[in-house]
Amino acid sequence: MNDNNLPPNSYAPPPIPTGFQLRGALKESHGHAIYAVAWSPHAHVHTTESRANDDCQKHILSYFATCAGPYATIYEVVTMTDKSNAGIEKCLRSQPPSVRQVYRDVDDDEYFYACAFGGRGIGAPVGYSPLGVVENEHGITDDSEEESDALKTKILCFGSAKDRSSNDQHDGETTQCTKRHSQKPTTTNNKCYPFLLPFSPTQNGPPLLCLGGTRGIIKVIDTVRRSLFLTLSGHGDDITDLQFCPTNEWLLLSASKDESIRLWNVQRGTNVAVFTGHDGHRRQVLSVAWHFSGLKFASAGMDNVIKLWNVGDGNDTEWPGAVQITIEESNSVMPNDYAKNGSRTGGQANSVHHKTAKFTPVVQQTPYFSTNKVHTDYVDCIQFIGDLVLSKSVHNKVVLWKPLLDKDDNTLSSANHNNVFENAESSQRIPSSILFLREFSLSHCENWFVRFHSPPPFHRVLALGNNKGEVKIWEIGGAKGCHPDQKYYCNLTTSGIGASGNNGNGGSTVRMVKFSPHGSCLVAVCDDSSIWMWES
């Protein structure tokens, strides 16, 4: 692979892992299929020093979340490193994942299909701070009488007050958590939460957890306050994917069954742009993926089409930079209640000019690239590999390819390249030609909504599960990865914790795999509610 297609970095890429060891396997008790897993991009570090030999030991605390049915669970992974007085740091093995927090939506008909970490919560590691300040009928009080460890495995409910009151009749221990930790994040009894606003200066902690599912509403959870932070409404059907921008932690993309992609400014709770219309997807959108620059993204869906959209430069000459301009304008949006009651928040609303009128998102109908030449069936997962694209359908393969824009299309078409799939209509105004590069094949992966992952920024390996409970790992580039039909070099299995799949072979369908931000841990989630973690 050409190094020019990789994002610029000042350090050398890590070696390709030659093997993986199982570090933990567990099964969630709710019985729902787990469709998504997401790692927090930030880790918390504890450092301890030994006076005897001047050694320094660090505990790196990483977090990932899963979602299934109305539940979302956050796990903690502890990795220990030793640093001797010679200055040499050695990484020890990671401990098995442990449950840190569990959330349940009070709407039992909700089913979460996507989760993502982004934005910022209150300034403390997940689950390690007091509960902070919450507001009740007596005003603002400090609710910190319980230790965080006592709450870390309780199920915390979130939803409307009406839903909570009906739910309290059926749940025992959960009822207490509902009353204490499910406060509405904006107002209660017409009183304002000053510090609960996303753009508060206290929002400098760990990322927020975003969830999306059958209700078409994105629910944002603050894992430090252990409560629903805000909701983002706009989609008219199921939400199938959530992805935060790699260069702006507050920008969130959401894909939906309503044939649209929406861009959100989570910091302001604002829908910035909607990507749909005449040249958009004609069926359910299943996957979205950001380019490492944060200036464009890819989308794929049930219409067998892959589309590339601009965010930073505009999609046409008639309205250049419309999305970027709207993003900048959204940063001045402020909730009306907060603006009206600025005096109760120290006058912050009066010190800076903010817009309080209804904010209208920009609608983009035309991508800068669109093709159906890669797959002939549902495209359920997509990811940028530098400027190249990895995509998967239900035909037991993942394809690495390059989109050919106008200048590339003309050059290679005139050369009559064998791997170029040309436009069916020369007059088509949206480029659609591709250059096929490589194919990664595996068996028993005919199910749709099974998602792969290649860890950024170097994308040296690719992992994907199948419906036999196996996880295959390939090397994408390098001397051993140049064959057009690349074979996997590592095969991991998920079986042995009492989980029996529906495929007659003891393993359940692996719905999603995800590498940790540092690339050393791999998590897989399955239809039988099981979670598996390996370390390289």
Side-chain angles (χ1 to χ4, degrees):
M1 184 185 301
N2 192 337
D3 291 338
N4 293 331
N5 289 318
L6 295 175
N9 289 276
S10 59
Y11 51 92
I16 295 176
T18 57
F20 290 82
Q21 292 182 332
L22 183 65
R23 288 292 184 246
L26 50 91
K27 189 173 182 180
E28 297 182 356
S29 60
H30 48 65
H32 298 285
I34 305 176
Y35 282 104
V37 57
W39 284 87
S40 172
H42 297 278
H44 184 66
V45 179
H46 283 300
T47 303
T48 57
E49 296 183 1
S50 174
R51 296 183 178 179
N53 51 12
D54 295 331
D55 286 351
C56 179
Q57 186 178 70
K58 291 194 299 185
H59 294 256
I60 303 175
L61 308 180
S62 304
Y63 303 92
F64 68 87
T66 64
C67 59
Y71 294 91
T73 307
I74 298 178
Y75 295 88
E76 179 182 83
V77 178
V78 180
T79 303
M80 293 179 293
T81 63
D82 280 334
K83 188 174 183 179
S84 64
N85 51 15
I88 301 176
E89 189 171 277
K90 180 181 179 182
C91 184
L92 306 178
R93 63 179 291 174
S94 297
Q95 298 179 3
S98 59
V99 177
R100 192 63 191 170
Q101 295 178 0
V102 182
Y103 296 89
R104 180 174 68 84
D105 197 301
V106 294
D107 183 359
D108 290 332
D109 292 330
E110 175 70 277
Y111 204 116
F112 294 122
Y113 296 127
C115 59
F117 281 99
R120 291 283 182 166
I122 266 190
V126 56
Y128 278 91
S129 72
L131 298 181
V133 182
V134 295
E135 185 178 12
N136 55 29
E137 62 272 15
H138 303 294
I140 298 179
T141 60
D142 186 0
D143 188 10
S144 57
E145 64 225 34
E146 292 191 55
E147 296 293 333
S148 60
D149 287 342
L151 291 171
K152 66 181 181 181
T153 57
K154 285 185 178 181
I155 298 179
L156 308 179
C157 298
F158 58 90
S160 67
K162 179 180 178 180
D163 293 333
R164 290 200 304 273
S165 61
S166 63
N167 185 70
D168 290 348
Q169 301 175 3
H170 305 286
D171 291 294
E173 185 180 7
T174 304
T175 304
Q176 180 181 3
C177 298
T178 301
K179 292 179 179 179
R180 298 186 41 154
H181 308 290
S182 299
Q183 312 294 333
K184 291 280 280 185
T186 52
T187 58
T188 296
N189 296 331
N190 296 324
K191 295 182 179 180
C192 183
Y193 288 88
F195 70 97
L196 284 181
L197 292 166
F199 47 89
S200 169
T202 61
Q203 299 300 128
N204 58 359
L208 304 166
L209 174 61
C210 297
L211 304 168
T214 55
R215 293 306 186 191
I217 299 174
I218 301 173
K219 299 174 182 179
V220 186
I221 296 175
D222 189 322
T223 57
V224 175
R225 286 188 289 250
R226 304 175 182 88
S227 63
L228 184 66
F229 189 59
L230 60 90
T231 58
L232 303 174
S233 302
H235 283 295
D237 215 321
D238 299 7
I239 293 174
T240 55
D241 201 5
L242 295 171
Q243 296 291 335
F244 272 94
C245 178
T247 59
N248 187 333
E249 63 185 359
W250 292 105
L251 292 183
L252 173 67
L253 277 177
S254 59
S256 175
K257 190 176 179 180
D258 65 5
E259 305 178 3
S260 74
I261 306 111
R262 288 180 180 261
L263 178 64
W264 307 85
N265 184 339
V266 178
Q267 187 176 28
R268 300 288 172 166
T270 303
N271 185 194
V272 175
V274 184
F275 301 86
T276 187
H278 177 68
D279 295 316
H281 287 280
R282 299 304 177 90
R283 295 189 65 186
Q284 178 174 348
V285 186
L286 298 176
S287 180
V288 288
W290 284 96
H291 188 266
F292 67 86
S293 66
L295 299 178
K296 52 189 176 182
F297 68 91
S299 62
M302 282 188 170
D303 54 3
N304 313 343
V305 177
I306 298 169
K307 297 181 182 290
L308 306 184
W309 307 81
N310 269 322
V311 173
D313 299 326
N315 290 341
D316 54 62
T317 57
E318 182 181 352
W319 204 4
V323 177
Q324 187 64 36
I325 292 173
T326 311
I327 292 174
E328 296 173 359
E329 291 178 348
S330 70
N331 290 326
S332 64
V333 173
M334 180 179 293
N336 289 333
D337 291 340
Y338 183 76
K340 294 176 182 178
N341 299 283
S343 58
R344 289 190 291 175
T345 62
Q348 180 180 353
N350 298 325
S351 60
V352 181
H353 175 70
H354 293 279
K355 294 182 178 180
T356 59
K358 181 179 179 181
F359 187 84
T360 303
V362 63
V363 178
Q364 280 289 9
Q365 300 190 52
T366 305
Y368 73 88
F369 180 88
S370 179
T371 185
N372 59 0
K373 308 295 191 302
V374 186
H375 303 284
T376 59
D377 211 325
Y378 300 165
V379 186
D380 56 359
C381 191
I382 193 168
Q383 186 177 351
F384 272 106
I385 307 296
D387 290 327
L388 309 179
V389 179
L390 268 177
S391 59
K392 171 194 164 292
S393 184
V394 295
H395 298 302
N396 293 316
K397 63 182 179 181
V398 180
V399 179
L400 178 66
W401 53 280
K402 179 181 179 180
L404 299 179
L405 305 180
D406 291 336
K407 58 180 182 179
D408 300 324
D409 195 358
N410 295 334
T411 301
L412 291 176
S413 295
S414 60
N416 220 3
H417 201 291
N418 292 332
N419 286 337
V420 175
F421 294 80
E422 298 182 357
N423 291 332
E425 300 178 6
S426 59
S427 61
Q428 185 174 352
R429 57 191 178 89
I430 303 177
S432 64
S433 299
I434 69 165
L435 175 62
F436 172 83
L437 297 175
R438 196 161 301 155
E439 183 177 289
F440 305 90
S441 301
L442 75 164
S443 58
H444 310 295
C445 195
E446 299 87 359
N447 290 5
W448 68 283
F449 216 53
V450 174
R451 293 177 276 187
F452 62 80
H453 187 234
S454 177
F458 298 104
H459 304 284
R460 305 194 72 185
V461 296
L462 164 69
L464 173 64
N466 63 13
N467 58 14
K468 293 292 183 181
E470 300 171 327
V471 177
K472 312 287 187 180
I473 301 176
W474 295 264
E475 180 182 355
I476 293 181
K480 297 181 180 180
C482 295
H483 194 280
D485 188 12
Q486 179 67 2
K487 304 296 183 182
Y488 61 86
Y489 74 89
C490 185
N491 183 28
L492 309 175
T493 59
T494 62
S495 60
I497 60 172
S500 58
N502 56 8
N503 50 35
N505 200 27
S508 182
T509 299
V510 179
R511 285 293 172 181
M512 189 175 186
V513 294
K514 202 78 170 181
F515 284 95
S516 60
H518 48 76
S520 63
C521 292
L522 175 65
V523 172
V525 294
C526 305
D527 272 358
D528 62 357
S529 307
S530 64
I531 301 169
W532 302 76
M533 191 187 83
W534 298 270
E535 187 175 32
S536 61

